[in-house]
Amino acid sequence: AVATLRVKADGSTVSTGALPRGVYTIVETERETLEDYAFERVIFSGDDYDAEVPGFQVFVEGASDDSQIVAVMAVNHYKRHVGDLRLSKLVSGNAGQNDRDWHFLLTLKAPAAYVPLSDDYDAEVTMPVQTVNDETGETTEEQIIIPIDLEKYVPEVEEGEELPTPEEGTITFQLTLKHRQSVLIKGLPVGTTYIVTEVEANQEDYATTAKNNEGIIDDEAVSAVEFENSRSYYAPATTNITVRKNWMG
């Protein structure tokens, strides 16, 4: 016998009524499609769903007084789609400091209260490394990738003062980059809002340009953020003056 039961995903229950003695297999045939989520699995009464033997089997004794109740719970598991963010740094101008550290704050805000943010996203820094051939003197460059641990930002406060309470559903990381370096942060929930600021922006005669430093994470493409600091000094223009002296008398 085959029976179809429709159960809402709100904790409600349905019953088959009295069943004759036997083994019954419960299979989920339809499931809700959730925006920005991918279905992973359904777990019946705490046991993993076996893809090779679809369904969850229960034994019904078929008691004549309907005293036996076989309770089965089905829990659907979904995983939210994720995207990545890359922050790149450039320094330009004849007075730019290529070996200097530049500091950034990345603030993330969850798209909804039920979407948790982590303080432990996978991240990696890409940086150029040059090597010189001892025989030919030729210089070659390659990009190396180094995994890093994200550092959660903690604002400085005066002694005795309490740390400010961050806005609910937000987290801020502090990042450090040099010229031509970039950091890739992986696995951010789709819909997360981000804001990137540079701590040293427009200081010490530098002009700072930011591209795409505010936006929303999606899974179609990497959110690419770029910061460039430019500084140049020029010698003042000079004018040659010729003086001629004439003696009269």
Side-chain angles (χ1 to χ4, degrees):
V2 177
T4 300
L5 304 177
R6 297 189 178 277
V7 186
K8 294 182 179 181
D10 58 1
S12 58
T13 62
V14 296
S15 175
T16 62
L19 293 173
R21 177 186 177 91
V23 177
Y24 293 84
T25 301
I26 303 172
V27 178
E28 184 179 65
T29 58
E30 297 178 9
R31 61 183 61 96
E32 185 175 359
T33 300
L34 302 180
E35 184 179 2
D36 294 331
Y37 283 86
F39 174 78
E40 287 190 308
R41 66 190 185 280
V42 56
I43 295 179
F44 291 98
S45 296
D47 293 333
D48 283 330
Y49 183 85
D50 190 342
E52 296 182 359
V53 184
F56 180 72
Q57 292 187 334
V58 294
F59 175 68
V60 176
E61 294 183 357
S64 58
D65 59 358
D66 296 334
S67 61
Q68 183 191 16
I69 297 177
V70 179
V72 178
M73 176 179 290
V75 179
N76 286 21
H77 290 253
Y78 293 82
K79 183 177 182 180
R80 191 171 182 89
H81 296 163
V82 296
D84 302 337
L85 181 145
R86 181 182 293 277
L87 168 63
S88 302
K89 178 64 187 175
L90 289 175
V91 178
S92 61
N94 62 17
Q97 300 163 290
N98 293 347
D99 293 330
R100 172 178 173 171
D101 286 336
W102 301 89
H103 304 92
F104 300 87
L105 297 180
L106 166 63
T107 299
L108 304 175
K109 184 174 182 179
Y114 55 81
V115 180
L117 294 178
S118 171
D119 59 0
D120 191 29
Y121 293 107
D122 290 337
E124 58 190 32
V125 169
T126 300
M127 62 181 65
V129 175
Q130 294 182 340
T131 56
V132 179
N133 189 302
D134 293 335
E135 296 181 356
T136 65
E138 181 181 0
T139 300
T140 59
E141 181 179 286
E142 62 177 340
Q143 301 289 326
I144 64 171
I145 299 175
I146 302 175
I148 64 169
D149 294 326
L150 289 180
E151 185 177 355
K152 191 174 178 180
Y153 172 66
V154 179
E156 295 182 359
V157 296
E158 298 293 336
E159 185 176 354
E161 292 184 356
E162 295 184 358
L163 288 173
T165 302
E167 182 182 351
E168 186 174 356
T170 66
I171 188 170
T172 299
F173 298 102
Q174 53 188 16
L175 307 163
T176 302
L177 294 173
K178 294 181 185 293
H179 172 57
R180 296 183 62 203
Q181 293 184 353
S182 66
V183 58
L184 178 66
I185 303 171
K186 305 177 182 178
L188 302 175
V190 164
T192 298
T193 301
Y194 69 85
I195 299 176
V196 184
T197 57
E198 184 181 82
V199 176
E200 298 90 358
N202 296 306
Q203 297 181 15
E204 301 177 26
D205 296 329
Y206 278 99
T208 303
T209 303
K211 295 181 180 179
N212 200 35
N213 63 311
E214 297 186 18
I216 299 176
I217 300 297
D218 65 53
D219 56 352
E220 298 295 331
V222 175
S223 297
V225 182
E226 299 178 4
F227 275 81
E228 180 175 357
N229 279 21
S230 180
R231 184 175 69 174
S232 295
Y233 292 144
Y234 300 96
T238 59
T239 301
N240 295 323
I241 300 176
T242 301
V243 177
R244 184 175 63 183
K245 184 175 183 180
N246 294 325
W247 293 94
M248 303 294 292

